[in-house]
PDB file of all heavy atoms in Angstrom:
ATOM      1  N   GLY T 196       9.973  -7.600 -13.269  1.00 58.00           N
ATOM      2  CA  GLY T 196       9.843  -9.003 -12.940  1.00 58.00           C
ATOM      3  C   GLY T 196       8.849  -9.226 -11.823  1.00 58.00           C
ATOM      4  O   GLY T 196       8.150  -8.330 -11.329  1.00 58.00           O
ATOM      5  N   ASN T 197       8.730 -10.493 -11.420  1.00 61.00           N
ATOM      6  CA  ASN T 197       7.842 -10.875 -10.361  1.00 61.00           C
ATOM      7  C   ASN T 197       8.651 -10.823  -9.044  1.00 61.00           C
ATOM      8  O   ASN T 197       9.333 -11.791  -8.733  1.00 61.00           O
ATOM      9  CB  ASN T 197       7.277 -12.291 -10.576  1.00 61.00           C
ATOM     10  CG  ASN T 197       6.333 -12.282 -11.764  1.00 61.00           C
ATOM     11  OD1 ASN T 197       5.723 -11.259 -12.061  1.00 61.00           O
ATOM     12  ND2 ASN T 197       6.167 -13.439 -12.345  1.00 61.00           N
ATOM     13  N   ARG T 198       8.541  -9.765  -8.324  1.00 67.00           N
ATOM     14  CA  ARG T 198       9.285  -9.572  -7.096  1.00 67.00           C
ATOM     15  C   ARG T 198       8.520 -10.117  -5.939  1.00 67.00           C
ATOM     16  O   ARG T 198       7.315 -10.065  -5.884  1.00 67.00           O
ATOM     17  CB  ARG T 198       9.585  -8.115  -6.890  1.00 67.00           C
ATOM     18  CG  ARG T 198      10.511  -7.545  -7.908  1.00 67.00           C
ATOM     19  CD  ARG T 198      10.970  -6.163  -7.504  1.00 67.00           C
ATOM     20  NE  ARG T 198      11.857  -5.692  -8.536  1.00 67.00           N
ATOM     21  CZ  ARG T 198      12.322  -4.483  -8.568  1.00 67.00           C
ATOM     22  NH1 ARG T 198      12.014  -3.638  -7.625  1.00 67.00           N
ATOM     23  NH2 ARG T 198      13.160  -4.099  -9.491  1.00 67.00           N
ATOM     24  N   ARG T 199       9.248 -10.577  -4.966  1.00 76.00           N
ATOM     25  CA  ARG T 199       8.655 -11.053  -3.725  1.00 76.00           C
ATOM     26  C   ARG T 199       8.610  -9.912  -2.683  1.00 76.00           C
ATOM     27  O   ARG T 199       9.576  -9.127  -2.617  1.00 76.00           O
ATOM     28  CB  ARG T 199       9.425 -12.215  -3.154  1.00 76.00           C
ATOM     29  CG  ARG T 199       9.440 -13.396  -4.140  1.00 76.00           C
ATOM     30  CD  ARG T 199      10.129 -14.628  -3.517  1.00 76.00           C
ATOM     31  NE  ARG T 199      10.203 -15.714  -4.466  1.00 76.00           N
ATOM     32  CZ  ARG T 199       9.228 -16.544  -4.744  1.00 76.00           C
ATOM     33  NH1 ARG T 199       8.068 -16.388  -4.140  1.00 76.00           N
ATOM     34  NH2 ARG T 199       9.377 -17.532  -5.583  1.00 76.00           N
ATOM     35  N   ASN T 200       7.561  -9.842  -1.979  1.00 81.00           N
ATOM     36  CA  ASN T 200       7.385  -8.808  -0.959  1.00 81.00           C
ATOM     37  C   ASN T 200       7.201  -9.427   0.405  1.00 81.00           C
ATOM     38  O   ASN T 200       6.437 -10.404   0.502  1.00 81.00           O
ATOM     39  CB  ASN T 200       6.149  -7.942  -1.265  1.00 81.00           C
ATOM     40  CG  ASN T 200       6.312  -7.233  -2.629  1.00 81.00           C
ATOM     41  OD1 ASN T 200       7.323  -6.677  -2.929  1.00 81.00           O
ATOM     42  ND2 ASN T 200       5.221  -7.238  -3.413  1.00 81.00           N
ATOM     43  N   LEU T 201       7.844  -8.901   1.420  1.00 86.00           N
ATOM     44  CA  LEU T 201       7.620  -9.328   2.793  1.00 86.00           C
ATOM     45  C   LEU T 201       6.661  -8.339   3.414  1.00 86.00           C
ATOM     46  O   LEU T 201       6.860  -7.139   3.392  1.00 86.00           O
ATOM     47  CB  LEU T 201       8.944  -9.392   3.568  1.00 86.00           C
ATOM     48  CG  LEU T 201       9.911 -10.479   3.150  1.00 86.00           C
ATOM     49  CD1 LEU T 201      11.220 -10.349   3.894  1.00 86.00           C
ATOM     50  CD2 LEU T 201       9.292 -11.849   3.335  1.00 86.00           C
ATOM     51  N   VAL T 202       5.603  -8.904   4.034  1.00 84.00           N
ATOM     52  CA  VAL T 202       4.555  -8.078   4.638  1.00 84.00           C
ATOM     53  C   VAL T 202       4.227  -8.607   6.017  1.00 84.00           C
ATOM     54  O   VAL T 202       4.142  -9.806   6.232  1.00 84.00           O
ATOM     55  CB  VAL T 202       3.265  -8.111   3.770  1.00 84.00           C
ATOM     56  CG1 VAL T 202       2.183  -7.228   4.337  1.00 84.00           C
ATOM     57  CG2 VAL T 202       3.564  -7.707   2.341  1.00 84.00           C
ATOM     58  N   GLU T 203       4.019  -7.695   6.953  1.00 87.00           N
ATOM     59  CA  GLU T 203       3.623  -8.120   8.320  1.00 87.00           C
ATOM     60  C   GLU T 203       2.097  -8.050   8.370  1.00 87.00           C
ATOM     61  O   GLU T 203       1.476  -7.048   8.062  1.00 87.00           O
ATOM     62  CB  GLU T 203       4.241  -7.185   9.361  1.00 87.00           C
ATOM     63  CG  GLU T 203       4.034  -7.706  10.767  1.00 87.00           C
ATOM     64  CD  GLU T 203       4.760  -6.880  11.800  1.00 87.00           C
ATOM     65  OE1 GLU T 203       4.282  -5.809  12.127  1.00 87.00           O
ATOM     66  OE2 GLU T 203       5.810  -7.382  12.231  1.00 87.00           O
ATOM     67  N   VAL T 204       1.477  -9.153   8.788  1.00 88.00           N
ATOM     68  CA  VAL T 204       0.030  -9.280   8.820  1.00 88.00           C
ATOM     69  C   VAL T 204      -0.400  -9.839  10.192  1.00 88.00           C
ATOM     70  O   VAL T 204       0.379 -10.453  10.891  1.00 88.00           O
ATOM     71  CB  VAL T 204      -0.502 -10.178   7.686  1.00 88.00           C
ATOM     72  CG1 VAL T 204      -0.145  -9.616   6.335  1.00 88.00           C
ATOM     73  CG2 VAL T 204       0.046 -11.585   7.839  1.00 88.00           C
TER      74      VAL T 204
END
Side-chain angles (χ1 to χ4, degrees):
N197 291 335
R198 293 190 179 174
R199 298 186 183 279
N200 298 315
L201 291 176
V202 181
E203 189 173 79
V204 298

